[in-house]
Each structure stands twice: as structure tokens, then as C-alpha cells.
Amino acid sequence: MPKTFRYSPGKSLITDRLILEDSDCGSTIKVAEVDSSLPMKKKAVEISPELKGVSLFLVGINCTIKARLGNLLADALRYYYFDSDSLVEEAAGGKSAAKLFRETDEEGFHDSETEVLKQLSSMGRLVVSAGDGAVQSASNLALLRHGISIWIDVPLDMVARDIVENGIQFAESEITTSGSYSEVLAQLIALYEEMRVGYATADATVSLQKVAGQLGYDVLDSVTAEDMGLEVLNEIERLVRVKKMMEEAARPF
């Protein structure tokens, strides 16, 4: 399992006070159980030498599959996993404090988002689930260039159902999670239209709908986080290969 860090506010948002939570303890071994993430892990072993510890930034609307995907990728690549929104909230003193911070000093709140990204982008071997603040300014988008960014594109109706059924939490002021399905979907559509240009600057896009088509699934819910993870790794392999070819083509004779 990936090692998940929790931030405790201090002088530095990331490196000063990190508490390592080891979730490996207490696990049981089932001999007959098939590891559904095995194809991901095999692909990760193949591409890791070429990836050289470069961090991954997952952008796109928050949902269960995005969070699950981040943890799976961290596990497969032996990286650490962070959620940038959670770090911003913890730096502010919790969800309620973050909400108040955003309402009373929106510029300062966005500065905090940038500071978190700045520190994350200076580190390697991370999988970061990036909040929407990461794609809302040119300076933040530039910070994502320190790693590989992937747009995790999940159909909005699935995300809306996820929010209503599972109570997925969003950054304050984005989505009212207590609304009905139709209300939540309408808010998601508005948010998507606002963020789409920023999402599209990612190095690659992994669409759940496209993955379903590739696998021959008629029902989108059949797509698992493991399916998405393997496609992410395939995209990363392609990006690394293209970069290597460009570097070789630029070499003088």
C-alpha cells in the first residue's frame, strides 16, 4: 500500500511536520485471492526506470475513482500520495477554517494553494491528486510542468451520483453536496465548463468513457480504478517515449 502523509501546520506546508501513517499493519493474506492491480504493477515496473522518479499530478473533478486511482498509482510506482486540497485545508486549520479563510480572503486562500503546489512540485516520487486551484492560474499550471499531469475525465453524471450516494467532499464553495442529484449535476456542469480549459492543458487525458470502449464494456460502472490506472501508465509510457525520441533527434551528429 502507498504511504500516505498527513500535514500538520508549521513553517513549511509539506516538509516541516509530516506524520507517516503506515497502513501495511494488520493486513491478511488470502492465498486464492487474485490481485486485480497486478497488470498495473507489472507496467509500473516496466516504466519506472524511464520515469526516473518524476511526480504525477492528477487533475479533473474530484470523485471516488480519482482518489482510488491516486492511491493505486502510488502503490504500483512505490511513490507517496498527497491530496493538495487536503493539505490546503490542514494548513488553514481544518475544513471550517479553510471555508472561512476562502470567504474572507480569497486571494490569500489561492496563495495558499499555490504554496502547496510549489512545495509539492519541488519533490519527486509523488502522486498528487490536484484540486481545481491547480488549473486556475498560469503560475499554478507552470508548477504542474515540474511533473507529468494527467486529466482524469469521468462522466459528470457518474460524479453526481457518486456525490449524492457517497458524500464526496469538494473544496469549499465549489459544490453543495447536500443537494439533489439534478442540483449537484447542474453545479458540476458549471464547474466543468469553468475548469475545462485548465484541465485540457494536462500532458495527457485518460477518459473513463474511452477506457470502457477499449475494454468492450457496455456499462461505464464496469470500469475499475485498476483499469484507469493501467491506461494512465500506458499514457505515461507514451509520453516518456516521445520525450526520449525528441531528445535524441535534437542531438548533433
Side-chain angles (χ1 to χ4, degrees), residues 214-236:
Q214 291 172 341
L215 296 174
Y217 294 157
D218 294 326
V219 179
L220 296 184
D221 285 335
S222 298
V223 178
T224 66
E226 287 83 359
D227 294 329
M228 295 287 284
L230 184 57
E231 184 62 18
V232 168
L233 294 175
N234 286 333
E235 283 295 321
I236 292 171

Side-chain angles (χ1 to χ4, degrees), residues 40-145:
M40 272 186 64
K41 292 176 179 177
K42 287 182 177 179
K43 177 59 69 174
V45 170
E46 292 175 12
I47 71 172
S48 286
E50 296 296 328
L51 192 55
K52 298 177 181 177
V54 172
S55 292
L56 308 181
F57 294 91
L58 307 182
V59 302
I61 291 179
N62 288 336
C63 57
T64 298
I65 199 165
K66 181 185 172 189
R68 168 96 174 128
L69 176 58
N71 278 283
L72 283 171
L73 287 168
D75 184 28
L77 292 166
R78 297 183 181 277
Y79 276 22
Y80 294 103
Y81 175 74
F82 283 102
D83 181 297
S84 67
D85 279 345
S86 294
L87 290 173
V88 172
E89 287 176 354
E90 290 189 44
K95 285 186 178 294
S96 298
K99 181 179 180 179
L100 180 62
F101 185 17
R102 186 166 189 161
E103 290 174 348
T104 58
D105 184 4
E106 187 169 0
E107 184 177 351
F109 183 84
H110 289 315
D111 287 343
S112 180
E113 290 178 314
T114 298
E115 181 60 28
V116 165
L117 282 175
K118 186 180 296 183
Q119 294 192 39
L120 289 171
S121 66
S122 70
M123 303 166 70
R125 304 190 69 82
L126 303 181
V127 175
V128 178
S129 180
D132 285 331
V135 300
Q136 287 183 293
S137 71
S139 58
N140 288 357
L141 288 171
L143 291 171
L144 296 185
R145 308 309 298 176

